[in-house]
């Protein structure tokens, strides 16, 4: 079956512009996570969605970051007024029940 | 705050060599330890989920052990092949009921033919 997909695979943007990253989780997976890996750093948790519950936004680094999940499926991560320190690989993962997390291939964001 | 550490940060070995690397984590309130393999331009792939002290899991030439009392896990690769070249990540749940994972920085393995 189809895995987690993310788009775009690569995004180059100018400092100050807004960007939207998209994640399509595995069908039927109720939990969805966003992580990012900055250069030289480990994967860092950003936000978690579970069904209709309020999302856990505790990992979002600033109020320029927001995410939504429409209809319990597709999620978009929006970064407003991008800064160079936002350059990273952004990974999405989904999970069903007690299973492990299945990751997408990521979006490599470069802010120039 | 849960802190997961991995060492070494990078490793270069010759094809056929066996290798191992370490993941350390707080031993208190342990729940689970995950190992992932992340090849360039691909999705991180789950290797093992380990929960019991003394657990040993194997997948082909890759195996892992777990010591929850002292807070470490080893990943072993026997007879490394070029296709084993990847970043190996370990992670532990960050508490609460969200299942969010706290990752180490990873060990990047390069296997030279």
């Amino acid at each position: 079956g189809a895995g987690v997909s993310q788009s775009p695979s690569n995004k180059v943007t100018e400092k100050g512009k807004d960007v939207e990253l998209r994640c399509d989780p595995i069908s039927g997976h109720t939990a969805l996570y966003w992580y990012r890996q900055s250069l030289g750093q480990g994967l860092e948790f950003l936000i978690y969605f579970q069904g209709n519950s309020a999302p856990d936004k505790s990992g979002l680094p600033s109020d320029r970051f927001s995410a939504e999940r429409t209809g319990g499926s597709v999620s978009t991560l929006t970064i407003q007024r991008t800064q160079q320190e936002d350059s990273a690989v952004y990974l999405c993962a989904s999970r069903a029940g007690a299973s492990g997390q299945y990751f997408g291939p990521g979006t490599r964001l470069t802010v120039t | 705050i849960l802190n997961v550490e991995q060492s070494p940060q990078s490793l270069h070995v010759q094809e056929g060599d066996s290798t191992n690397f370490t993941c350390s984590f707080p031993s208190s309130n342990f729940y689970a330890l995950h190992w992932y393999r992340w090849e360039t331009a691909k999705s991180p792939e789950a290797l093992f989920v380990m929960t019991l002290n003394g657990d040993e899991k194997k997948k082909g030439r890759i195996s892992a052990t777990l010591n929850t009392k002292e807070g470490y896990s080893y990943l072993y690769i026997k007879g490394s092949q070029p296709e084993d070249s990847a970043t190996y990540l370990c992670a532990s749940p960050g508490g609460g009921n969200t299942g969010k994972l706290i990752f180490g920085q990873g060990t990047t393995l390069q296997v030279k033919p």
Side-chain angles (χ1 to χ4, degrees):
Chain A
V4 178
S5 61
Q6 292 185 245
S7 60
S9 55
N10 280 284
K11 176 72 178 179
V12 180
T13 190
E14 291 179 354
K15 179 181 171 181
K17 302 280 189 185
D18 297 353
V19 294
E20 272 193 3
L21 312 181
R22 177 186 168 108
C23 171
D24 282 86
I26 293 172
S27 177
H29 281 198
T30 56
L32 186 147
Y33 304 79
W34 283 97
Y35 296 87
R36 74 173 178 181
Q37 185 175 43
S38 304
L39 190 64
Q41 304 295 315
L43 274 172
E44 172 192 16
F45 167 78
L46 297 176
I47 189 168
Y48 159 71
F49 295 91
Q50 173 65 59
N52 295 321
S53 302
D56 175 355
K57 303 180 182 180
S58 60
L60 293 179
S62 79
D63 59 8
R64 295 185 295 103
F65 287 71
S66 63
E68 62 178 24
R69 188 179 185 192
T70 52
S73 180
V74 171
S75 176
T76 54
L77 177 71
T78 301
I79 309 173
Q80 294 179 309
R81 305 181 302 282
T82 51
Q83 302 295 310
Q84 287 184 331
E85 62 261 29
D86 299 334
S87 296
V89 176
Y90 289 81
L91 283 172
C92 174
S94 69
R95 176 174 63 86
S99 73
Q101 295 181 26
Y102 293 81
F103 283 85
T107 293
R108 181 175 296 277
L109 175 67
T110 304
V111 182
T112 61
Chain B
I1 296 176
L2 183 65
N3 198 30
V4 179
E5 302 279 348
Q6 290 188 248
S7 64
Q9 187 173 349
S10 64
L11 200 52
H12 291 75
V13 301
Q14 288 294 135
E15 181 176 354
D17 288 350
S18 293
T19 188
N20 66 85
F21 22 93
T22 307
C23 173
S24 60
F25 51 86
S27 55
S28 59
N29 298 318
F30 175 81
Y31 183 73
L33 194 284
H34 297 244
W35 280 102
Y36 284 85
R37 174 170 64 196
W38 191 7
E39 294 179 66
T40 303
K42 294 187 178 179
S43 309
E45 170 198 0
L47 289 174
F48 306 113
V49 181
M50 309 181 79
T51 55
L52 298 176
N53 184 45
D55 232 359
E56 181 168 346
K57 296 208 171 182
K58 190 173 180 181
K59 185 176 182 179
R61 293 178 291 99
I62 304 176
S63 61
T65 61
L66 179 68
N67 184 323
T68 61
K69 294 184 179 179
E70 296 183 36
Y72 65 83
S73 175
Y74 292 137
L75 189 81
Y76 299 91
I77 303 178
K78 185 177 177 182
S80 304
Q81 300 296 308
E83 59 264 31
D84 297 328
S85 298
T87 296
Y88 291 82
L89 299 167
C90 69
S92 196
N97 62 355
T98 66
K100 70 184 181 188
L101 294 174
I102 306 299
F103 283 86
Q105 291 186 325
T107 293
T108 299
L109 172 68
Q110 188 160 5
V111 182
K112 299 178 184 177

